[in-house]
Every structure is written in structure tokens, then in C-alpha cells.
Amino acid sequence: ENQSWRNKDLSEKIAALISKNDTNISIINSGVNGNRILDIKNRAMDVLFLNRILPTDFILVVWDSDASDVDESELSEDEVLNLRHNFAINLKDVIYMLQKYTSYIAIGGPVILGEGESCPHRLKKLETIEYYKAVTQNITLSNGIDYMDLRKAFLSAIPNTWQSCEGLLTSDGEHPNEKGTQLEASILAEQINKW
């Protein structure tokens, strides 16, 4: 489904929920083509430089991690270990790069990847998604960065454990619909308000 409306809608919803009294707040929603950490690593420097990120700026990074792009069941055990090892290294590199610009950083992901049995695109096994979530959370927290558990929030808000995947998601069971975008915005705005 066409998700082009989502970036603008998400930014507007976050802005409406921010309680800061700063009238100069602007939200830069700089998406990266591709979901892999290497895509983020390669693009991050351009985004940081072009937007002139200051030490007082907030950086929120949310993506579905490499769990969404690679079917590990099609790889050998060595290939899976190599993939996961490189993911951890690249995530640490991204964090290091972001910390050179600001200390106000929070990371979240993966969120929902259509893994429910009743969803039309059952992308990945649950243990793979949970693995990437655990690694992302552990590396993030061990570097003194806040972790936003969007996955937990979405899973607890979806009714009947995947009997319906469209309450907060589009029909693919992966992308947030308008209600899901509101939930995502509230989590991101809560993080900003905490700072």
C-alpha cells in the first residue's frame, strides 16, 4: 500500500504532542531507502550534515532492522552468524556517529513485521524478530541511549493476538495505519517530552 502520506502525518502528530514551549521546534523526517542498518549508516552522515544537527537537537531513530529484509531460513548457519555480527557492528557505528552530534538520542525497532499467522504477509519467524529487538535494545542501552519499545506497545495494543491485524496496521500487517501512526507518534513525543 502507498505509505507516502505517513511521513508527513507522523511528523504532524508528533509535533502536536510535544509539550515543549519552544516555538522553534521543527521535525525533520529523513527516511532511509531500505531498512538495513548499513543503509542507515551510509545515509546518516548526509542527513546529519545537511540538516545541521546541533548538540541541543533530538535524534530519534526507528527502523525495522535487518530482520525485515533477510530470510535467515534461506542462509547457512555461518551466513546467519556473519549477518548478525555485522548488524551489531554497524549499529554501534551508527550510535557512535550520532553521539558526536548530540546526546539526545533514542532508538526503537523492530516494530511489527507481519509475522502474525492471520496476516497476509508472514515475513519472519518470531524468534528472528525478537533476536534483533534484543540486540538493538542491549546495544542501545549499553551505550547510554534510551530505547523506545514500539514493538511492545504495538503488540499489547493489537487485539486478540493477531486475530485482526488491521486495528493499528494496514492490510499487510506490517505498516501502521492512521491509528497506528498515532500510537507511534505518542511514543516518540513521550520520549521528546521526557528530555
Side-chain angles (χ1 to χ4, degrees):
E1 295 186 28
N2 186 343
Q3 295 291 313
S4 59
W5 60 271
R6 242 185 53 77
N7 282 343
K8 183 178 182 211
D9 192 47
L10 179 61
S11 295
E12 289 172 354
K13 286 181 178 356
I14 293 170
L17 294 168
I18 294 174
S19 64
K20 306 286 182 198
N21 292 322
D22 187 347
T23 55
N24 295 319
I25 287 176
S26 63
I27 295 175
I28 302 163
N29 194 335
S30 296
V32 175
N33 292 331
N35 288 324
R36 303 180 89 175
I37 190 66
L38 191 55
D39 299 321
I40 294 173
K41 180 180 173 180
N42 291 336
R43 171 93 189 278
M45 194 50 110
D46 289 341
V47 171
L48 293 167
F49 177 74
L50 292 173
N51 292 296
R52 293 178 168 71
I53 301 299
L54 301 172
T56 54
D57 289 339
F58 307 131
I59 299 176
L60 305 177
V61 182
V62 178
W63 82 103
D64 283 328
S65 85
D66 296 41
S68 67
D69 277 0
V70 177
D71 186 352
E72 291 186 350
S73 66
E74 296 177 1
L75 302 176
S76 71
E77 188 176 326
D78 285 345
E79 288 172 321
V80 169
L81 290 173
N82 190 46
L83 181 75
R84 291 179 173 192
H85 175 74
N86 288 334
F87 172 80
I89 289 172
N90 287 321
L91 177 56
K92 290 173 186 175
D93 287 348
V94 167
I95 289 172
Y96 176 75
M97 188 184 316
L98 297 177
Q99 286 178 319
K100 289 205 283 189
Y101 283 84
T102 180
S103 58
Y104 298 106
I105 304 165
I107 292 178
V111 189
I112 299 294
L113 300 176
E115 68 274 18
E117 287 187 25
S118 64
C119 295
H121 301 292
R122 194 171 184 201
L123 297 179
K124 301 289 165 260
K125 293 181 178 178
L126 184 59
E127 61 266 20
T128 301
I129 299 165
E130 290 297 333
Y131 169 83
Y132 279 97
K133 178 194 168 191
V135 169
T136 302
Q137 185 173 13
N138 290 339
I139 291 174
T140 298
L141 293 173
S142 69
N143 280 276
I145 293 175
D146 290 342
Y147 178 78
M148 302 172 292
D149 199 340
L150 284 90
R151 180 169 177 76
K152 180 179 179 182
F154 270 83
L155 287 174
S156 15
I158 292 175
N160 302 322
T161 316
W162 296 105
Q163 293 303 309
S164 166
C165 61
E166 292 189 51
L168 297 170
L169 308 171
T170 58
S171 59
D172 66 1
E174 180 177 0
H175 295 95
N177 60 19
E178 188 165 348
K179 189 175 176 185
T181 300
Q182 185 65 50
L183 174 60
E184 188 176 8
S186 69
I187 295 166
L188 301 182
E190 181 182 351
Q191 177 65 45
I192 293 170
N193 288 333
K194 189 166 84 171
W195 286 323

